């Protein structure tokens, strides 16, 4: 055995408490552990956990299912059309490892960072948004999920309505419900949210927040049309409301996309927009670094909530983010990712047209990592999802993306989480098998 293997084995045994190491003396067998105590009785917790909340206007329900679906690993042999992050083959693993090791050696890397985040990293996120956004308006957050949680808790009190696109990201609906908010759906089409309905929804509910993904929306892939962008900002401003802009896949643009629209936050002098961005989708789900950007007094509220909840984002990870985005391999990685995502999207759309023409594909996105398909009337979404899993492909049903009754059945198919393009063709073939079973 190599010395590395021996030292790894020793480290594992030490962590398991089976071995103790004494520097200079060697490794010794640890004293036997005491037998485990008999399991206690935790049944009292069912009462305790149900007793509170009676006075809440909207009960706070913490339902993780919408989030765990895109984080779950399917059983071995099952093709993953359900994942929400790029497969390790698409992650910049070498560049991240190098960045992390350089970061760990930076002076002060293990000290406390400034609470708002490292100034250079805040500067970088501000530059990414553009317009007149400055580093002083940026707070470093632990990824998009955490930033969205802070934003929703800061902007709406428990019981308040929050306007959301319909359909939208289930993880955001889960955040809203966990905060005791009432998501109110506003229909969107392939040009994004419909402004007239947005205005109606503000009037009808008195909401002070609208959560919007203007770029490559999850799940539809839609981009908010140029003429709708100023409309959305104007309508929110007139309603005295904030727009939470979830800019989650700006870096997952496909090779054949035209120039990208700027974030709404870049054209917002009055602080209507609270902008959320994250590095995870273009790197790895574990690279939990993102930013929350806002202008005006709301920044202080966001800052306070974030500090109370989490103190700050781990400094070595912030340093690693700076190392990564400043390295020559970063633009190379983004270019390679962009080419690969386009090839995968094309393989999936071609496969679906050939093998499953029954499924409507209303919009082919030029960014992001998934397709959104409408099922013909009468097809049972969850039946098809179960049949697909039996046939060896994990897909995501559309229901959790709707905060109220959906207009039709849908599926979301992700093409980023599989290992290679070949798996896409095979996955679509398996979906056909499932389709034939349920039809
Ligand atoms: C629309 C949207 N926003 C935010 C997130 C949160 O991602 P993260 O916390 O990894 O940045 C996700 C994850 O799937 C998402 O789909």
């Amino acid at each position: 055995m190599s010395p590395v293997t021996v030292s790894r084995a020793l480290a594992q045994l030490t962590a398991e408490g089976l071995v103790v190491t004494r520097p200079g003396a060697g490794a010794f067998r640890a004293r036997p552990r005491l037998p485990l105590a008999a399991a206690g009785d935790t049944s009292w917790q069912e009462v305790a956990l149900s007793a509170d909340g009676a006075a809440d206007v909207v009960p706070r329900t913490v339902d993780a299912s919408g989030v765990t679906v895109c984080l779950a690993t399917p059983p071995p042999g099952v093709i993953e059309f359900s994942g929400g992050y790029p497969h390790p083959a698409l992650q910049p693993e070498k560049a991240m490892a190098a960045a992390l090791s350089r970061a760990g050696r930076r002076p002060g890397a293990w000290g406390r960072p400034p609470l708002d985040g490292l100034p250079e990293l805040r500067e970088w996120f501000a530059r990414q948004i553009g317009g007149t956004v400055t580093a002083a308006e940026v707070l470093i957050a632990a990824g998009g999920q955490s930033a969205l949680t802070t934003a929703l808790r800061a902007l709406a009190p428990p019981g308040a309505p929050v306007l959301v696109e319909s359909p939208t990201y289930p993880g955001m609906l889960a955040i809203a419900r966990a905060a005791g908010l009432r998501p109110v759906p506003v229909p969107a089409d392939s040009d994004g949210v419909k402004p007239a309905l947005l205005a109606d929804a503000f009037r009808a509910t008195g909401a002070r927040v609208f959560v919007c993904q203007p770029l490559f929306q999850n799940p539809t892939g839609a981009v908010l049309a140029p003429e709708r962008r100023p409309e959305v900002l104007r309508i929110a401003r007139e309603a005295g409301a904030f727009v939470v802009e979830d800019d989650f896949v700006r870096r997952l643009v496909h090779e054949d996309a035209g120039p990208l629209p700027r974030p709404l936050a870049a054209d917002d002098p009055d602080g209507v927009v609270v902008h959320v961005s994250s590095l995870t989708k273009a790197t790895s789900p574990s690279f939990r670094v993102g930013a929350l950007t806002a202008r005006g007094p709301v920044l202080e509220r966001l800052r306070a909530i974030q500090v109370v909840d989490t103190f700050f984002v781990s400094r070595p990870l912030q340093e690693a983010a700076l190392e990564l985005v400043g390295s020559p391999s970063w633009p190379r990685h983004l270019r390679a990712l962009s080419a690969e995502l386009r090839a995968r999207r094309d393989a999936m759309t071609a496969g679906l047209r050939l093998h499953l023409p029954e499924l409507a594909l209303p919009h082919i996105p030029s960014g992001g990592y998934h397709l959104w398909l409408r099922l013909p009337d009468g097809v049972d979404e969850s039946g098809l999802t179960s049949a697909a899993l039996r046939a060896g492909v994990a897909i995501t049903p559309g229901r959790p993306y709707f905060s109220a009754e959906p207009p039709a059945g849908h599926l979301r198919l992700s093409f980023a989480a599989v290992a290679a393009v070949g798996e896409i063709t095979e996955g679509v073939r398996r979906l056909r098998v499932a389709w034939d079973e349920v039809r």
Side-chain angles (χ1 to χ4, degrees), residues 132-368:
T132 56
V133 173
T134 67
E137 294 163 336
V138 176
L139 307 172
I140 300 302
Q145 192 72 8
S146 168
L148 282 172
T149 304
T150 304
L152 287 185
R153 282 200 23 228
L155 302 178
V162 50
L163 305 188
V164 300
E165 292 162 308
S166 180
T168 192
Y169 167 51
M172 187 275 292
L173 295 175
I175 293 171
R177 291 181 180 126
L181 305 178
R182 193 159 43 83
V184 176
V186 185
D189 59 21
S190 55
D191 281 335
V193 71
K194 297 182 178 175
L197 294 180
L198 180 66
D200 287 349
F202 273 125
R203 264 193 303 277
T205 63
R208 291 301 167 103
V209 190
F210 166 50
V211 187
C212 180
Q213 302 168 47
L215 190 66
F216 310 135
Q217 205 254 5
N218 182 7
T220 59
V223 176
L224 188 62
E227 65 283 4
R228 290 190 185 179
R229 292 164 53 91
E231 278 269 270
V232 166
L233 290 182
R234 182 187 55 76
I235 291 166
R237 180 91 168 78
E238 283 174 13
F242 288 97
V243 174
V244 175
E245 177 178 22
D246 184 1
D247 202 7
F248 77 119
V249 278
R250 180 161 290 274
R251 294 166 196 91
L252 262 57
V253 51
H254 302 167
E255 201 181 32
D256 56 350
L260 289 191
R262 315 204 290 176
L264 294 177
D267 299 312
D268 167 43
D270 301 338
V272 171
V273 178
V274 172
H275 181 270
V276 168
S277 71
S278 171
L279 285 178
T280 58
K281 297 285 176 185
T283 55
S284 140
S286 278
F287 213 113
R288 305 210 60 72
V289 175
L292 193 50
T293 304
R295 174 166 292 174
V298 68
L299 188 60
E300 195 43 50
R301 173 86 61 92
L302 295 167
R303 177 185 284 128
I305 291 186
Q306 192 164 269
V307 171
V308 168
D309 278 358
T310 60
F311 286 8
F312 50 79
V313 176
S314 151
R315 180 160 190 157
L317 207 52
Q318 292 194 51
E319 302 275 3
L322 263 180
E323 288 280 355
L324 182 69
V325 299
S327 74
S329 53
W330 179 243
R332 269 205 307 275
H333 161 67
L334 291 182
R335 274 197 302 277
L337 185 61
S338 173
E340 181 65 25
L341 287 172
R342 177 200 179 173
R344 287 167 174 235
R345 179 207 62 196
D346 288 349
M348 191 174 260
T349 43
L352 288 168
R353 282 193 175 126
L354 188 65
H355 296 294
L356 276 160
E358 297 89 339
L359 296 185
L361 189 53
H363 176 67
I364 299 186
S366 52

Side-chain angles (χ1 to χ4, degrees), residues 84-101:
Y85 293 92
H87 186 273
L90 297 185
Q91 295 174 12
E93 282 188 329
K94 275 200 186 121
M96 288 191 293
L100 201 53
S101 99

